[in-house]
Amino acid sequence: MNPEQINEILNYSSDSDIDEDDYSSSEEYLPPGNESESEHSDGNSVENGIDFENSEWNFDINTEPEFVDFTGIPGLRWHDIDVDELKKLLGLSIVMGYLKFPSLGTYWSKFELDFHPIFEKTMSRHRYELILRFLCFYDPRSADTSDRLHKIENVTKHVINNIQTKYYPKQNLSLDESMMLWRGRLSFRQYIPSKAHKYGIKFYELCSSDGFLLNFIIYKGKGTVIDENGVTFGIVTKLMQNYLGKGHTLYMDNFYNSVQLVQHLYNNKITVVGTLRKNRKDNPKEVLNSKLNKGEVSHAQKGNIHVIKWRNMRDVSMISSKHKLDFENVIDKFGRSKFKPNMVVDYNSKMSGIDRIDQMISYYPIPRKSMR
């Protein structure tokens, strides 16, 4: 490589990507009331043009959403963000999910192997990083800091409200946990080895059987959900509160299911199909403790609730308020015919909603390493 080629590559520095038109002024940013003061009359010193004891928050109230300026950094070339610019930021972040580059600055590179004009035309790299640096979704003047999720509570409530007002699901719903990748420091970070992302933030999610998210709860440690009937009982009833009495069928795994919960949901016109843990309260012990040979079934009924234990390659315990015990002829992946209990077949076909959500999210992965 000759010196001219080296100089040409070096000219594509990150600083050259900054579009000065993105800034309303090149003057230093100072909070109102501090433009020309270096010291207040009461003798309190002012550092970098800001009186940290007496200065007030500078904020502008616009149409929804409200944008508030809490930067307070002198010399920062900043102008107010609006809804259109926020949409651009989110759009570029999604595009970054399927365009994989080694660093953030590469997306704005002019090198012909990396060049994508949509980034430069939409927003300068400096502006993108600046918004990302200061973007927050809570008001520090009034937020309840005792809540571990107070920084994103407004966003999550808004998202859930939009989902539930814009879309209503069909009959079949599924409920399970999901993990969002996070390996940084976090007091409520979880480890679930069975998930694709083993470390991260755990979500309890309710979705349609075809993978449309309907409601969610973010696990934040002890006290996430408090209910006199138990944590799992409280999680399910909270996620289902807007769908009770509507005739849905809910598919859940053995972490949530119990005879008490299934009966409660049935009384609210919700039928349940799912696996069942052997040690749950009110379980029919004579069924779940029975010794079975392959293909055999043990069954018990209490009102409209049916509990079975079926021996396949291992013992499978199921509970259902939708099915009576019956068998279906199923063709396995090897083309062999096999009889299975109807509630097992139904559960296997309808419980994949959360997995489908995780699959769709995996196509646009936007997490990346950062210092924050």
Side-chain angles (χ1 to χ4, degrees):
M1 183 177 292
N2 59 49
E4 292 182 358
Q5 291 175 317
I6 295 174
N7 289 332
E8 184 178 357
I9 293 175
L10 292 177
N11 285 334
Y12 296 130
S13 64
S14 58
D15 292 337
S16 65
D17 298 336
I18 300 174
D19 185 358
E20 296 297 339
D21 292 337
D22 284 342
Y23 309 104
S24 58
S25 172
S26 60
E27 298 177 358
E28 289 190 348
Y29 171 84
L30 295 177
N34 292 297
E35 290 85 350
S36 59
E37 296 179 2
S38 61
E39 189 169 346
H40 283 268
S41 58
D42 58 2
N44 293 329
S45 62
V46 180
E47 298 180 16
N48 296 327
I50 302 177
D51 179 6
F52 290 99
E53 294 185 3
N54 300 314
S55 61
E56 297 181 353
W57 294 112
N58 172 36
F59 64 97
D60 297 317
I61 299 178
N62 301 319
T63 57
E64 291 292 331
E66 176 185 354
F67 294 99
V68 183
D69 177 13
F70 290 125
T71 56
I73 299 179
L76 182 68
R77 295 179 295 177
W78 173 266
H79 65 80
D80 290 339
I81 185 174
D82 55 24
V83 176
D84 185 60
E85 195 170 26
L86 183 60
K87 289 180 179 179
K88 291 179 180 179
L89 179 88
L90 296 176
L92 291 179
S93 298
I94 293 173
V95 173
M96 290 176 185
Y98 62 86
L99 289 177
K100 293 296 184 182
F101 287 139
S103 65
L104 184 63
T106 312
Y107 290 98
W108 280 267
S109 172
K110 294 181 180 178
F111 187 59
E112 59 184 7
L113 292 179
D114 302 324
F115 180 63
H116 282 79
I118 187 174
F119 292 95
E120 184 178 17
K121 291 180 179 179
T122 304
M123 183 182 296
S124 72
R125 179 188 62 82
H126 185 274
R127 180 63 175 171
Y128 180 89
E129 291 180 335
L130 200 60
I131 296 174
L132 206 61
R133 177 183 177 186
F134 294 109
L135 186 65
C136 69
F137 300 98
Y138 75 107
D139 188 341
R141 301 165 300 180
S142 58
D144 178 13
T145 56
S146 63
D147 184 356
R148 288 176 170 177
L149 299 176
H150 69 275
K151 293 185 177 181
I152 60 170
E153 184 179 13
N154 291 333
V155 175
T156 56
K157 287 182 178 179
H158 183 70
V159 169
I160 292 172
N161 181 67
N162 270 354
I163 291 172
Q164 296 180 352
T165 55
K166 305 297 183 184
Y167 175 81
Y168 196 85
K170 297 180 181 179
Q171 180 182 6
N172 299 321
L173 310 177
S174 59
L175 190 153
D176 202 357
E177 307 100 35
S178 181
M179 292 284 283
M180 184 179 74
L181 177 63
W182 178 261
R183 285 185 171 270
R185 292 183 180 180
L186 194 64
S187 60
F188 50 91
R189 188 185 70 170
Q190 293 287 289
Y191 172 70
I192 303 180
S194 61
K195 298 295 183 180
H197 299 310
K198 295 177 174 57
Y199 292 92
I201 302 170
K202 183 166 71 174
F203 288 71
Y204 300 109
E205 295 180 349
L206 176 70
C207 71
S208 61
S209 59
D210 56 355
F212 192 93
L213 183 65
L214 303 172
N215 201 355
F216 62 88
I217 298 171
I218 302 175
Y219 177 79
K220 56 183 178 181
K222 186 177 180 180
T224 299
V225 175
I226 299 175
D227 192 284
E228 60 182 6
N229 294 310
V231 174
T232 54
F233 189 101
I235 290 170
V236 175
T237 53
K238 184 175 181 179
L239 289 173
M240 287 291 296
Q241 60 186 351
N242 290 333
Y243 303 99
L244 297 177
K246 305 292 180 62
H248 291 284
T249 298
L250 179 62
Y251 297 83
M252 301 183 290
D253 64 21
N254 58 21
F255 178 75
Y256 306 96
N257 275 322
S258 67
V259 174
Q260 179 190 19
L261 176 60
V262 173
Q263 184 63 61
H264 171 76
L265 293 174
Y266 186 82
N267 294 340
N268 287 276
K269 299 182 180 179
I270 301 294
T271 55
V272 173
V273 181
T275 53
L276 183 65
R277 288 188 179 179
K278 184 178 179 179
N279 60 353
R280 292 295 190 193
K281 185 179 179 181
D282 299 327
N283 280 350
K285 292 183 171 53
E286 65 278 4
V287 171
L288 299 181
N289 292 332
S290 59
K291 302 295 183 180
L292 303 174
N293 296 320
K294 187 175 181 179
E296 292 182 341
V297 175
S298 180
H299 168 255
Q301 178 181 355
K302 181 181 179 181
N304 292 288
I305 299 176
H306 296 259
V307 175
I308 70 165
K309 181 179 180 181
W310 173 56
R311 178 71 180 182
N312 189 23
M313 301 301 293
R314 57 183 179 84
D315 290 336
V316 178
S317 300
M318 301 287 299
I319 185 170
S320 175
S321 56
K322 178 182 179 181
H323 306 89
K324 295 181 180 179
L325 179 60
D326 200 358
F327 288 85
E328 294 184 18
N329 189 13
V330 178
I331 306 299
D332 65 15
K333 62 181 179 181
F334 301 107
R336 298 174 299 192
S337 178
K338 183 182 295 187
F339 282 94
K340 291 185 178 181
N342 54 347
M343 60 184 73
V344 174
V345 176
D346 189 32
Y347 176 82
N348 289 338
S349 64
K350 305 287 176 50
M351 186 53 191
S352 59
I354 303 296
D355 294 333
R356 186 167 180 80
I357 290 177
D358 292 340
Q359 177 188 3
M360 299 302 292
I361 292 175
S362 69
Y363 297 148
Y364 303 92
I366 61 175
R368 60 176 176 271
K369 293 181 69 175
S370 68
M371 298 301 293
R372 293 184 64 187

